[in-house]
Amino acid sequence: MRFKFSIIALLLEAVFIVLFGLFVEYDTENINSYLYFKDVHVMIFIGFGFLMTFLKKYGFTSLGINMLIAAFGLQWGTLMQGFLHRGEGEKIFVKIKSMINADFSTATALISFGAVLGKTNPAQMLLLTLLEITVFAGNEYLVTEIFKATDIGASMTIHAFGAYFGLAVTFILYRPGLKNKHKNEESTYHSDIFAMIGTLFLWLFWPSFNSAIAEENERIKIIINTYYALAACAVTTFALSSLLDERGKFSMVLIQNATLAGGVAVGTCADLTIHPFVAMGIGNIAGIISVLGFRFLTPVLASKLKIQDTCGVHNLHGLPGILGGIAGIIVTAVQSETKKGVELTAGKQAAALGSTIGIALVGGALTGAILKLPIWGQVSDQNCFDDSAYWEVPEEEKLYEINSNNYDEHSRFEAVM
Amino acid sequence: MRFKFSIIALLLEAVFIVLFGLFVEYDTENINSYLYFKDVHVMIFIGFGFLMTFLKKYGFTSLGINMLIAAFGLQWGTLMQGFLHRGEGEKIFVKIKSMINADFSTATALISFGAVLGKTNPAQMLLLTLLEITVFAGNEYLVTEIFKATDIGASMTIHAFGAYFGLAVTFILYRPGLKNKHKNEESTYHSDIFAMIGTLFLWLFWPSFNSAIAEENERIKIIINTYYALAACAVTTFALSSLLDERGKFSMVLIQNATLAGGVAVGTCADLTIHPFVAMGIGNIAGIISVLGFRFLTPVLASKLKIQDTCGVHNLHGLPGILGGIAGIIVTAVQSETKKGVELTAGKQAAALGSTIGIALVGGALTGAILKLPIWGQVSDQNCFDDSAYWEVPEEEKLYEINSNNYDEHSRFEAVM
Amino acid sequence: MRFKFSIIALLLEAVFIVLFGLFVEYDTENINSYLYFKDVHVMIFIGFGFLMTFLKKYGFTSLGINMLIAAFGLQWGTLMQGFLHRGEGEKIFVKIKSMINADFSTATALISFGAVLGKTNPAQMLLLTLLEITVFAGNEYLVTEIFKATDIGASMTIHAFGAYFGLAVTFILYRPGLKNKHKNEESTYHSDIFAMIGTLFLWLFWPSFNSAIAEENERIKIIINTYYALAACAVTTFALSSLLDERGKFSMVLIQNATLAGGVAVGTCADLTIHPFVAMGIGNIAGIISVLGFRFLTPVLASKLKIQDTCGVHNLHGLPGILGGIAGIIVTAVQSETKKGVELTAGKQAAALGSTIGIALVGGALTGAILKLPIWGQVSDQNCFDDSAYWEVPEEEKLYEINSNNYDEHSRFEAVM
């Protein structure tokens, strides 16, 4: 991995700088959106990063490679979205909204990262990021510019896209050796608490995420809808988590993930006139779907369909993303909505949803096939979910020295400690 | 607990959605306050949540039930405050300020949660939240609309109210079995560090909390006063923490809590013309009171008055809240202050402080009596302060597998490990 | 330490209140900058604080004394900068920008804290803060008002200054007893994850740091430059971290620190017209310098030059700060830039860089000499890097009770556990 990863990373970084030198300039808009950008930024690096630290021996990779993907991807996302949306022959003019979109584009790769977490190496993740953001930018252009569909909080173009792309990748990279639970694929008490840092910052700033690229005057409605959708979703998630457990106990994996489904699902139609109680209803249904998905669907996907989804992104981003798309179809079907002078229709919304999932699956499968090439060096099944494959990890004996003053006097336990 | 909790939660959530459908609509104000709302939001979910993670085996509940209370309570708070403050026969129009007030209302329940932490179950906490927010909304209406007192940072209506309400509840729920220190009622090295996440985000965003519902032009003074009050309070807390310890050592419980007392105490009069040095003086006194309370008062309350205050909310919110109320009385007594055309008087301020504490104590006692009904199923003394009563907790042996590569070769230690 | 520290702290706090009473009043500017202030505030208390929690037994001090230094220093910084920048005979009028500058001034002391981390006591740190902020305020005045140099993101006046000041202090306080690696001078798995909280919040809010005291219309360019400089720096850091390791593994200390060097280095010229790709180039070079510094320079400094730099502030703040200064010299040499009507010249920039480093080294050496006086009570070499010298630390046996239900049945292991 030493040279493969380093050389790919340095080479691509050099290419980015050249492309920025040729094509990218400052725009001089006002910076009102900076407030929203920062929240998205926190969600990408802290939210996604810490959410994945739940694994007991994979926290360095979750945080570190999450940061790498995002820092790398935001440069490529700036270029890809810039090329597609710039005027004919113009430079790419970067403003706060470009930075939001660049961060958004990395979210797709980070969602897919959740599906393959523990099973890929850093070089593979750089390639996945490069390919996924390219496909994402194309699909996003298709949805917004060709179909002229609405998806203000990106339920479809980011969440469903990232999830199904990642599921296709993990399907292609299927590892029979991980059919039985890997000994490292579990959490510890403190790793679950670290993961809650991610959950909470995602939950708190989701209103900003959904309204980040909206016009100033549309934001209030989006913020209110997302706020109440998430609140309703959280309460329902706690209730179902207890209800589905034999002893009535809460499950951390559900609280960490399903509480967020309401933010995903309300995304597509958060700027439409849906009334707060409908937003809450969407949040509720999202919570129910997500909890049921974790409990009943994920095990089936793994055992029957060879889809090993480490973080359960299907339940957090996939199903709630589709729900968001469907909500958008229904709202545009039952009431008249226009945006920038164009009428929204159920047909356009359905086309957007269908194309997003189709492109994600095909793009993910092709990406998976490329990542499967032997040249990248797969990590062995045994070393999956283990930071020490790619990180210098503090020697674990050290933990014991803290705890025991008598350590030196009991050297016969040293091997165990 | 399985059905009791789930059914209460799902039922109330359904009621909320119906009430929102009947009464709640969007307001279309500008969203300048969103900047302040987000900070309050972080304080409620990250600040309060992590502050309570100091207990070694209760981090899941601290973070999880904190989130549940807040997500549940903000919906109820929207309705309660909306009903009281809406125009005759009008809908409740939700804007950013409503969201701030909804978050505020949950703060009272979260403060009370700190008093009973480790000793109640999730169903009891839902009821407490429902009842406390109802009483809070009534008292807040009384203080602002009837007495026309000022309490911009809610020293009285949130902090003192939440503390005395919670103390009354914990008094009623007194457990003789916890008279001697419970083996789980202590911190670990890392749980204390997790708690500092809560402390720091509370400390950092307190200027936003105190100025969140102020008019735009009043905010600068509030922010400055709170900033310097907290700085002075923190320095004094460190000094006293060392001074009161025989070996001169700092105490984490004091640093985690008493450093925040300045923000509480400066709240009532932060928008009055008090000069920065007076704010610092208030911060100083708050730090002193809070440290002394933790050191000398809490043990007495527990042993003599049967008030078992897990987090010491009396020292962080109760006494500093009263100090804030008294500061408001003094300032309005010595100088003329008007607000929205109404003159503030020491009498009105004293009435606000007295009614707040009285209503909190009575409301808390009644709530405690309801929570004490056998139907809710009390957790046994032995299982107090232990997440595993309500959560699936990772098996602790797992922690050891991380630490020892030789684990499998030493299976005779398995029972211990 | 009990009385020494407490009395110094209380006395100085009393002096601060008197000085605030005599000299400080509110200013009534608009509060647009509050958005930026808050990010700086988070960086100072969460960013710097958690970044230093990487040591396995020093998390309480890292977070606690970081908070103490900042809360203490911001009051002194307000006074020092206020006296230098106020009009003749006027009061010090405090506004949001004053609070940003107060927080900025504490950053210098916190950077120096990183150099001496683990080797000083709280009383020494109060004195260091007092002295360093005094010298900083003088140098900042010299650079901006006399030399009229530009340093919008404070690469020179904060980062290089804080680093070289701290290096001079640690040189004077050289401990031969720590020549061989101290057993506590290392991280654990979870302490490294805590440190990433600091890294990420610093990384995320650096665009706000660099633009915090800029004019509203200059901010967009600074934000864009810093955003892309950091992204490029992060990718390069990951690449080099792997490349320089024999097995190609990433090193946490590099990811935690060198990823931030781009934010430091782009600071001086972030508001000049440098194009985004140049910002990325600066970020790249900063990452390279910082990684090389950690790998090759720090060990040499410690062994040959008697400079024991605990956190490697030379590599994160020192070298990248100088790089920022040089970038400023080059940009002002090759193109014409004016600011507030004054032309920027390479000569002025070079004078600023030189004076900053010179004053920092001399100031640091004098401060180190004062801190070395026996009166302050040095911690013994053996107790370095250990919280329990200054904190009540939870007994470590407790950790084991969590982990083992069988604990009581195996009392013969008690001594080890």
Side-chain angles (χ1 to χ4, degrees), chain B residues 40 78 88 117 138 178 186 275 281 328:
Chain B
V40 171
T78 302
E88 187 77 41
L117 191 72
L178 299 182
E186 56 190 16
H275 308 288

Side-chain angles (χ1 to χ4, degrees), chain C residues 124-179:
Chain C
Q124 287 176 307
M125 289 316 302
L126 282 191
L127 282 175
L128 180 145
T129 304
L130 204 68
L131 296 169
E132 181 161 1
I133 287 177
T134 309
V135 181
F136 157 78
N139 181 61
E140 192 266 350
Y141 184 83
L142 183 71
V143 165
T144 57
E145 304 289 330
I146 311 297
F147 293 150
K148 302 213 178 284
T150 189
D151 192 22
I152 193 76
S155 308
M156 298 185 283
T157 53
I158 291 177
H159 294 287
F161 181 88
Y164 287 100
F165 194 100
L167 293 173
V169 172
T170 198
F171 173 75
I172 300 293
L173 298 181
Y174 177 66
R175 286 170 178 265
L178 299 182
K179 206 164 176 181

Side-chain angles (χ1 to χ4, degrees), chain C residues 346-413:
Chain C
K348 291 171 184 173
Q349 293 300 122
L353 179 59
S355 83
T356 296
I357 293 173
I359 290 170
L361 287 172
V362 173
L366 292 173
T367 300
I370 294 169
L371 297 191
K372 208 173 183 174
L373 296 176
I375 187 178
W376 309 118
Q378 311 291 330
V379 63
S380 72
D381 288 351
Q382 202 192 341
N383 289 329
C384 281
F385 312 110
D386 192 339
D387 279 335
S388 61
Y390 307 112
W391 293 84
E392 291 172 26
V393 173
E395 289 176 44
E396 303 304 342
E397 286 79 359
K398 306 286 164 54
L399 279 170
Y400 285 79
E401 288 176 23
I402 321 176
N403 299 335
S404 168
N405 295 325
N406 305 54
Y407 180 77
D408 292 330
E409 300 159 45
H410 292 257
S411 56
R412 69 185 178 98
F413 293 111

Side-chain angles (χ1 to χ4, degrees), chain A residues 51-52 54 192 195-196 199 202-203 206 230 233 237 251-264 286-287 290-291 294 310-317 320, chain B residues 67:
Chain A
L51 186 62
M52 292 188 281
F54 71 97
D192 269 330
M196 282 298 288
T199 298
L202 288 171
W203 200 91
W206 216 292
L230 283 164
C233 178
T237 298
S251 156
M252 253 296 165
V253 68
L254 296 178
I255 305 308
Q256 283 160 3
N257 291 280
T259 50
L260 300 166
V264 175
S290 188
V291 169
F294 272 102
T310 310
C311 295
V313 300
H314 189 228
N315 313 304
L316 170 47
H317 302 280
Chain B
M67 186 186 191

Side-chain angles (χ1 to χ4, degrees), chain A residues 39 189 208 225 227 249 275, chain B residues 25-26 34 38 103 387-388:
Chain A
D39 292 355
Y189 193 66
S208 299
N225 284 333
Y227 178 69
K249 294 190 180 187
H275 307 290
Chain B
E25 268 313 324
Y26 308 111
Y34 185 53
K38 288 189 311 172
D103 268 30
D387 280 333
S388 61

Side-chain angles (χ1 to χ4, degrees), chain B residues 48-333:
Chain B
F48 281 103
F50 274 95
L51 187 62
M52 292 188 282
T53 59
F54 70 99
L55 288 170
K56 69 180 181 184
K57 298 177 84 168
Y58 216 58
F60 287 9
T61 307
S62 298
L63 285 171
I65 304 303
N66 185 87
M67 186 186 191
L68 173 66
I69 292 171
F72 175 85
L74 70 86
Q75 300 176 62
W76 185 238
T78 302
L79 291 166
M80 279 297 101
Q81 296 205 313
F83 284 129
L84 286 169
H85 289 278
R86 71 180 167 154
E88 187 77 41
E90 271 183 9
K91 291 245 172 184
I92 296 167
F93 292 104
V94 171
K95 49 190 177 180
I96 301 292
K97 204 173 161 182
S98 321
M99 290 162 54
I100 294 171
N101 277 318
D103 268 30
F104 272 3
S105 71
T106 73
T108 60
L110 295 175
I111 291 167
S112 300
F113 184 38
V116 299
L117 191 72
K119 299 170 296 190
T120 52
N121 66 36
Q124 287 176 308
M125 289 316 301
L126 282 191
L127 283 175
L128 180 146
T129 304
L130 204 68
L131 296 169
E132 180 159 3
I133 288 178
T134 309
V135 181
F136 158 77
N139 182 62
E140 193 266 349
Y141 185 83
L142 183 71
V143 165
T144 57
E145 304 289 330
I146 311 296
F147 293 148
K148 300 212 178 285
T150 190
D151 192 21
I152 193 75
S155 307
M156 298 184 284
T157 55
I158 291 177
H159 294 287
F161 181 89
Y164 287 101
F165 193 101
L167 292 173
V169 172
T170 199
F171 174 75
I172 300 292
L173 298 182
Y174 177 67
R175 287 170 177 267
L178 299 182
K179 207 166 174 179
N180 298 317
K181 193 170 174 302
H182 192 285
K183 69 176 162 58
N184 293 335
E185 203 180 353
E186 56 190 16
S187 64
T188 62
Y189 193 65
H190 281 169
S191 73
D192 269 330
I193 292 181
F194 279 122
M196 283 299 289
I197 298 175
T199 299
L200 287 171
F201 276 107
L202 288 171
W203 200 91
L204 291 169
F205 291 162
W206 216 292
S208 299
F209 188 97
N210 281 352
S211 63
I213 55 164
E215 300 297 319
E216 195 70 11
N217 64 343
E218 300 170 329
R219 281 191 174 130
I220 179 73
K221 209 190 290 175
I222 302 172
I223 289 169
I224 291 172
N225 283 332
T226 309
Y227 178 68
Y228 288 109
L230 283 164
C233 178
V235 173
T236 303
T237 299
F238 274 90
L240 279 196
S241 178
S242 170
L243 191 64
L244 293 179
D245 185 76
E246 284 175 15
R247 300 147 303 164
K249 293 191 180 186
F250 301 121
S251 155
M252 254 295 167
V253 68
L254 297 178
I255 305 308
Q256 283 159 2
N257 291 281
T259 50
L260 299 166
V264 175
V266 83
T268 298
C269 58
D271 60 339
L272 309 182
T273 305
I274 57 172
H275 308 288
F277 83 98
V278 175
M280 291 164 76
I282 293 173
N284 256 306
I285 298 168
I288 293 167
I289 286 176
S290 187
V291 169
L292 296 177
F294 273 102
R295 278 298 299 259
F296 302 112
L297 196 54
T298 293
V300 173
L301 290 184
S303 62
K304 305 285 179 200
L305 295 182
K306 302 188 177 179
I307 298 173
Q308 296 163 327
D309 177 6
T310 310
C311 294
V313 301
H314 189 228
N315 312 303
L316 170 47
H317 302 280
L319 293 173
I322 291 180
L323 175 63
I326 292 172
I329 295 169
I330 294 174
V331 172
T332 52

